[in-house]
Amino acid sequence: MELRQLEHFVTVAEERHFTRAADLLQISQSGLSASIRALEMELGTSLFIRSTRRVELTAAGRAGRRAVR
């Protein structure tokens, strides 16, 4: 787990949108998605429920968000 991945996670959690988060972080959306996927694989759980219009935190994502605050 890298600090960069945590920053990416927090930004997506706050924005609830990968494209807006990528814009704020000044990285590509695909790079942000890859970073989040790698973090999820390392943790062994999904952090977000993704749909074409929304991004919601899973229970693990909500717990992670509280821990990072």
Side-chain angles (χ1 to χ4, degrees):
M1 181 180 316
E2 298 176 13
L3 185 57
R4 171 185 55 84
Q5 288 173 310
L6 292 176
E7 179 184 19
H8 293 172
F9 165 70
V10 168
T11 305
V12 174
E14 289 174 349
E15 293 299 315
R16 310 245 186 212
H17 198 275
F18 275 81
T19 303
R20 282 194 304 264
D23 288 343
L24 285 171
L25 293 164
Q26 297 182 343
I27 62 173
S28 69
Q29 188 272 330
S30 60
L32 176 59
S33 292
S35 175
I36 296 295
R37 264 193 316 277
L39 179 59
E40 289 174 327
M41 288 190 69
E42 186 174 336
L43 295 173
T45 190
S46 294
L47 298 171
F48 296 101
I49 301 167
R50 299 155 171 92
S51 72
T52 56
R53 296 190 184 264
R54 300 179 64 132
V55 175
E56 297 291 330
L57 288 165
T58 63
R62 286 189 301 273
R65 180 67 182 110
R66 284 191 300 272
V68 174
R69 285 186 189 169

